[in-house]
Amino acid sequence: MAAPDVKDPAVINGGFGFSSDHSVVQLSNIRLTELDTGVVKKFKNITIDNEESQKLGKTSSSHYEIDFNAVKVGGNPTKGFKLNFGESDSSKSSYSWLMGGTDNGDSMIYNNNAHGGSVWDQHAWHLPNKEACHFKIEVNKRHVKTWINQVEFNRIEILPTKISPLYLNVTYDRNSHQYYLKVINITDDTQQLSIPSAIFKDGTLLSLIGKRLSHNEIDKASVITIDKKKVLNKQIEVAPYSANVLVSRYMDVDLKK
């Protein structure tokens, strides 16, 4: 069986900058420290307003820190700002540290991509008005840590997105006393599976089979077909781009007890 397709690079690096979330924030003493090379880069003071974004630089380092001072001087009292980092043109993704998240109540790490985003770590914190704070983020490959005024807030490993060729799940129905093995094959290859348990011997394999991105439409001929076959041993074959359910024979005893 093919290995999972890893969609993200092994290291989070690339471009970085700041964005306002309907607030006015002054940023100063902005510094990038590449911990694996010892290189230190300093940047000019900036002010971000409303929904403004400013890109400041980029790094190819696998272990770096970004630290800065920030003070909120105006805007929506329920909003904050964010540091964007790991911006990659090749993967079309980026990551953000949001300071003053929902109702100005969070220190949050999340990622952004073409399909939306995911929150990876979230802790309660309020961005004060007209009070300077010191912020620092450390990125070591895909491990991320943050500090606010020398107090650690976020610590998370952002795992890379992996697309597996097969997705499997087993469930048990106590009413019918049957097991169900669900297998999704998203590759263009037929997959051979060996079932280690005798539970599914003499079971039934139900399959929906089509081409990549195919779908049925009302008043048109079906392009997704239904297949049904008996399983006589511990081997099953799943077609390319198919959804399959292997149903065990009726079990007289609940094997989960």
Side-chain angles (χ1 to χ4, degrees):
M1 187 173 68
D5 181 14
V6 181
K7 294 296 185 180
D8 296 320
V11 175
I12 296 175
N13 57 20
F16 76 94
F18 294 90
S19 296
S20 169
D21 184 16
H22 299 282
S23 61
V24 183
V25 179
Q26 295 174 345
L27 299 129
S28 60
N29 299 323
I30 305 167
R31 180 175 57 181
L32 165 69
T33 304
E34 297 180 344
L35 298 174
D36 48 2
T37 65
V39 173
V40 178
K41 301 176 182 178
K42 297 181 179 180
F43 301 87
K44 66 179 182 179
N45 298 344
I46 62 172
T47 299
I48 50 176
D49 190 359
N50 196 19
E51 293 184 89
E52 178 186 8
S53 294
Q54 292 193 36
K55 295 183 179 181
L56 294 187
K58 62 175 57 179
T59 180
S60 59
S61 172
S62 63
H63 189 189
Y64 59 93
E65 290 179 348
I66 301 172
D67 70 296
F68 54 93
N69 295 325
V71 55
K72 179 177 177 178
V73 295
N76 191 322
T78 66
K79 298 292 184 178
F81 71 104
K82 57 187 177 180
L83 165 68
N84 305 310
F85 61 100
E87 294 183 338
S88 170
D89 294 332
S90 59
S91 62
K92 297 182 180 179
S93 66
S94 66
Y95 303 83
S96 294
W97 176 16
L98 180 57
M99 290 142 280
T102 305
D103 293 327
N104 191 8
D106 300 299
S107 172
M108 182 190 305
I109 301 292
Y110 66 95
N111 76 305
N112 316 276
N113 55 50
H115 306 290
S118 300
V119 174
W120 282 91
D121 196 53
Q122 185 175 8
H123 290 272
W125 182 77
H126 176 80
L127 177 64
N129 193 44
K130 297 182 180 179
E131 179 182 327
C133 297
H134 181 259
F135 301 87
K136 184 175 76 171
I137 184 170
E138 177 185 348
V139 181
N140 187 358
K141 294 182 179 178
R142 300 192 67 86
H143 295 264
V144 178
K145 292 191 290 184
T146 71
W147 293 262
I148 302 174
N149 293 332
Q150 290 75 50
V151 177
E152 183 178 305
F153 270 81
N154 305 94
R155 178 191 289 257
I156 188 70
E157 179 185 5
I158 301 178
L159 300 174
T161 301
K162 296 181 180 180
I163 306 299
S164 297
L166 292 177
Y167 293 89
L168 299 94
N169 175 261
V170 178
T171 57
Y172 176 73
D173 188 332
R174 290 187 179 274
N175 294 322
S176 67
H177 298 286
Q178 289 176 300
Y179 286 84
Y180 298 84
L181 171 63
K182 288 160 273 187
V183 183
I184 307 296
N185 181 10
I186 66 169
T187 73
D188 55 7
D189 298 318
T190 298
Q191 302 284 348
Q192 304 283 342
L193 295 181
S194 177
I195 309 300
S197 174
I199 291 174
F200 292 101
K201 186 180 178 181
D202 300 325
T204 303
L205 181 64
L206 306 172
S207 302
L208 292 175
I209 304 171
K211 295 181 179 180
R212 184 174 183 271
L213 302 181
S214 61
H215 59 278
N216 287 345
E217 296 184 29
I218 297 176
D219 298 329
K220 291 186 179 181
S222 296
V223 294
I224 298 177
T225 59
I226 300 176
D227 185 58
K228 179 179 180 180
K229 65 180 69 171
K230 294 293 292 183
V231 176
L232 302 179
N233 50 42
K234 294 183 180 181
Q235 300 288 330
I236 65 170
E237 182 180 276
V238 293
Y241 301 111
S242 64
N244 309 268
V245 179
L246 177 57
V247 184
S248 74
R249 66 188 188 281
Y250 175 83
M251 307 297 294
D252 293 326
V253 179
D254 183 356
L255 299 183
K256 294 185 72 177
K257 288 184 178 179

